[in-house]
Amino acid sequence: MNESLISHPGPVLLVGGGKSDPDQLRGLLDTCALRVAADGGAETLLALGIMPDAVIGDLDSLTDVSRTRIPAERVHHIPEQNSTDFDKCLRNITAPLVYGTGFLGPRVDHQLAGLTVLANRPDRRCILLGEEDVIALAPPEIELSLPVATRLSLYPLATMRGESEGLRWPLGGIEFSPARRVGTSNETSETRVRLRFDAPAMLIILPVEAIPALSRGLLSAPATWPAHA
């Protein structure tokens, strides 16, 4: 396996070229000591007066003016076109958790591509942040502390099964499939929710206010999925 370009012991902020909520982004800047830009995401950081610690991508969205401002050793050009800039970044970051902004809108095709990357990199723990929701690929097991009646949606990217405790509508070994049965608009019935899955293909979707709870759950999850071959 190739070594990652970026390795960090703490959470990493990854900024994409899409829209990032300024207040949300400032909060993440306080949380993450290391900031990575996916190609044109460097423009967002530079506009806030933040020099990216690394820029990764095919660099087709980074302006020449911005590129001259960034130290050359921080710019990692990956020209291949068989993957998105998000994938180029996620596979090259080794960290306990990655927060990704600027990947969930406004274009639906970009959103779907980002969710596919989450499923293709199951060994990377990553939370994608949007204006209303946060999304992460569920590990084999996860425990979440949330207020009762919190919306918790589950969306499968492949056929799989899950078990749950603390949901209004328990999973109970139900077979999920994106073409047949999904788990959207569920909600918590207890303050402690436990989820277990048999494959790396279930997305957890929560309100943006649940970022701290989802972060704690991912960081404390007892196991992670292996990397795809």
Side-chain angles (χ1 to χ4, degrees):
M1 182 181 294
N2 292 332
E3 291 186 7
S4 298
L5 293 171
I6 305 298
S7 182
H8 190 65
V12 170
L13 172 62
L14 175 59
V15 180
K19 181 180 178 182
S20 294
D21 179 88
D23 292 334
Q24 189 181 86
L25 190 53
R26 290 188 187 94
L28 291 170
L29 288 170
D30 292 336
T31 300
C32 303
L34 194 139
R35 298 84 179 253
V36 179
D39 200 343
E43 309 283 348
T44 300
L45 287 173
L46 290 172
L48 292 174
I50 304 296
M51 178 60 66
D53 294 290
V55 181
I56 302 172
D58 60 18
L59 306 186
D60 64 352
S61 300
L62 183 65
T63 66
D64 292 338
V65 172
S66 294
R67 186 166 182 175
T68 60
R69 295 175 58 189
I70 302 168
E73 67 273 12
R74 298 189 182 191
V75 179
H76 305 277
H77 184 206
I78 303 177
E80 56 91 356
Q81 295 295 308
N82 294 322
S83 64
T84 64
D85 286 325
F86 177 39
D87 185 70
K88 291 177 175 69
C89 290
L90 197 58
R91 74 185 189 229
N92 277 296
I93 298 174
T94 299
L97 184 61
V98 174
Y99 293 100
T101 72
F103 297 102
L104 287 182
R107 285 178 47 175
V108 173
D109 56 342
H110 286 174
Q111 294 180 41
L112 292 173
L115 301 182
T116 298
V117 171
L118 291 182
N120 285 336
R121 304 291 170 190
D123 58 318
R124 290 341 198 211
R125 292 187 175 175
C126 176
I127 299 176
L128 292 182
L129 294 85
E131 292 186 1
E132 301 291 335
D133 293 330
V134 292
I135 305 175
L137 184 76
E141 299 180 35
I142 187 170
E143 182 173 310
L144 300 168
S145 296
L146 295 162
V148 172
T150 297
R151 171 174 54 84
L152 193 157
S153 290
L154 297 167
Y155 192 87
L157 296 177
T159 300
M160 59 178 302
R161 294 180 183 274
E163 299 284 347
S164 69
E165 299 172 28
L167 290 182
R168 181 178 180 185
W169 293 283
L171 306 187
I174 294 170
E175 183 175 88
F176 291 93
S177 166
R180 294 181 179 85
R181 187 162 190 168
V182 299
T184 56
S185 296
N186 208 328
E187 64 180 41
T188 60
S189 59
E190 302 175 17
T191 57
R192 185 169 65 176
V193 176
R194 293 176 177 173
L195 303 171
R196 295 174 294 279
F197 301 102
D198 65 359
M202 184 65 85
L203 299 174
I204 299 176
I205 306 170
L206 287 163
V208 70
E209 294 80 13
I211 292 172
L214 183 56
S215 300
R216 290 192 298 268
L218 288 173
L219 288 169
S220 62
T224 192
W225 304 107
H228 287 328

